[in-house]
Amino acid sequence: MTDSHETATGEFATREDVDARGGSASASALPSAPSPAPSSAPSHAPSSAPSFAPDSLVLNRKLPLWYQVSQSLRASILGRPQDASLRLPTEEQLATHYGVSVLTMRQALKELETEGLISRHRRRGTFIEPRARRATPVRLLGSVDAIVAQQSGDATTVLGHGAVPVPGDLAEFFPDCGEVVSFRRLRRDGESGEPTNWAENAVRPEVAARIDLTDLERWPMTKVLHDIVGVKISRITDTVEARLADPVTADLLQVPLLSPILHYTGVTYDEKGRVVDVARIRYRGDRFSFSLTVEAR
């Protein structure tokens, strides 16, 4: 981007900072409830149609404001409800909502327009492109079969594999191993070919020796371990956290550096209680959300 952006010292924007810029960061400046999308193409929607209401945002003053606003609005668009309006509020309304200048808001919208998420029409307004994907949930349903089903359906490329010393942050899982075998894989959407997530698996050496790479290109690691290698899986412990894309992740998933991602860690135990696999998967934050189902017995 060549346009200038606002910067300031300090870590977070306070209420006073936002008010001083002439706006409020609350969502009250925007319509409180979304309405169903108009049946006609978004560029022909009536000007009186209620607008899409994006999520609120706490600004980090150490990063460019236009970038934060564009990523927040991007996540709101891709995670929107099925019946959300396709019409965005005006630049002025959005600037007030996020507590930034109209120039900053314009730069954020330009970024989303370049990505093809929105279209802008003189005198008619700004609209979400109907083809903009809504986020796919990462569901943790508590069974091996459910995890296999969640990971299926993507086209997988094995980026590399080989024996490596046990990483320091995984030492607790492999106390009796000097090394593990690392498998790196990239998954793409089966229809669009767009990168969706990439995974690193650290596998116990004697188990890894029985894994065929061609199987990993067809099926998820959990299925390979369970159905082909014959590991009797007793449990899988899942952790999901929000992180920012590092250079490797940004390059593989084709997202901006420091954009939000979901970082999943899955620890797989066999019937003896030993860890056989630690999976670390980085999901694109604009394509996935976190969902947990707890059922009563």
Side-chain angles (χ1 to χ4, degrees):
M1 291 292 180
T2 57
D3 297 339
S4 61
H5 60 258
E6 299 173 37
T7 57
T9 57
E11 185 173 2
F12 293 101
T14 64
R15 175 67 61 182
E16 291 75 19
D17 293 331
V18 172
D19 290 342
R21 292 196 293 271
S24 169
S26 71
S28 60
L30 300 177
S32 58
S35 67
S39 56
S40 59
S43 60
H44 298 101
S47 59
S48 59
S51 300
F52 172 75
D55 298 332
S56 57
L57 170 69
V58 176
L59 295 171
N60 183 331
R61 307 303 298 280
K62 293 182 178 180
L63 296 174
L65 299 184
W66 70 264
Y67 174 77
Q68 296 177 71
V69 170
S70 70
Q71 292 302 306
S72 176
L73 186 52
R74 188 174 192 267
S76 294
I77 289 172
L78 294 173
R80 68 191 185 279
Q82 185 71 42
D83 61 351
S85 170
L86 295 180
R87 172 184 286 276
L88 286 180
T90 66
E91 288 181 351
E92 292 76 13
Q93 288 175 318
L94 286 170
T96 299
H97 173 73
Y98 286 113
V100 298
S101 71
V102 172
L103 178 62
T104 295
M105 194 66 239
R106 192 168 296 157
Q107 190 171 2
L109 291 173
K110 182 180 179 183
E111 177 76 9
L112 298 181
E113 185 178 23
T114 300
E115 290 185 41
L117 294 180
I118 63 173
S119 58
R120 311 184 73 186
H121 305 271
R122 189 174 181 83
R123 298 190 180 90
R124 289 199 297 268
T126 302
F127 299 89
I128 299 170
E129 283 295 311
R131 292 173 296 179
R133 286 181 180 271
R134 295 170 61 249
T136 301
V138 176
R139 294 188 175 95
L140 304 182
L141 303 180
S143 73
V144 172
D145 291 339
I147 292 175
V148 169
Q150 174 72 35
Q151 296 174 348
S152 299
D154 291 334
T156 303
T157 301
V158 177
L159 302 176
H161 77 290
V164 297
V166 176
D169 58 339
L170 300 186
E172 63 177 301
F173 300 117
F174 300 101
D176 58 334
C177 295
E179 63 181 21
V180 292
V181 178
S182 173
F183 296 88
R184 292 159 53 93
R185 293 164 297 137
L186 176 67
R187 296 193 185 103
R188 298 179 180 273
D189 183 271
E191 296 181 2
S192 67
E194 180 183 48
T196 59
N197 63 86
W198 79 279
E200 287 181 297
N201 289 79
V203 182
R204 185 175 287 273
E206 64 270 25
V207 175
R210 296 180 297 189
I211 294 176
D212 190 324
L213 293 183
T214 58
D215 290 332
L216 287 181
E217 294 177 345
R218 299 172 60 191
W219 296 302
M221 177 66 82
T222 306
K223 180 177 179 65
V224 172
L225 292 175
H226 185 265
D227 295 351
I228 300 177
V229 177
V231 174
K232 295 183 178 180
I233 298 175
S234 62
R235 72 182 190 276
I236 299 175
T237 302
D238 297 315
T239 304
V240 179
E241 57 186 313
R243 291 191 182 180
L244 300 179
D246 56 42
V248 173
T249 296
D251 180 58
L252 288 174
L253 299 187
Q254 299 177 15
V255 297
L257 183 65
L258 300 181
S259 60
I261 62 168
L262 287 178
H263 189 282
Y264 162 89
T265 302
V267 183
T268 301
Y269 296 82
D270 65 12
E271 61 180 350
K272 298 178 180 179
R274 300 182 310 167
V275 173
V276 294
D277 170 45
V278 178
R280 291 180 287 188
I281 308 176
R282 289 81 165 176
Y283 291 93
R284 285 179 56 152
D286 61 334
R287 290 288 306 276
F288 295 89
S289 60
F290 171 73
S291 175
L292 174 65
T293 298
V294 179
E295 297 182 355
R297 292 186 176 180

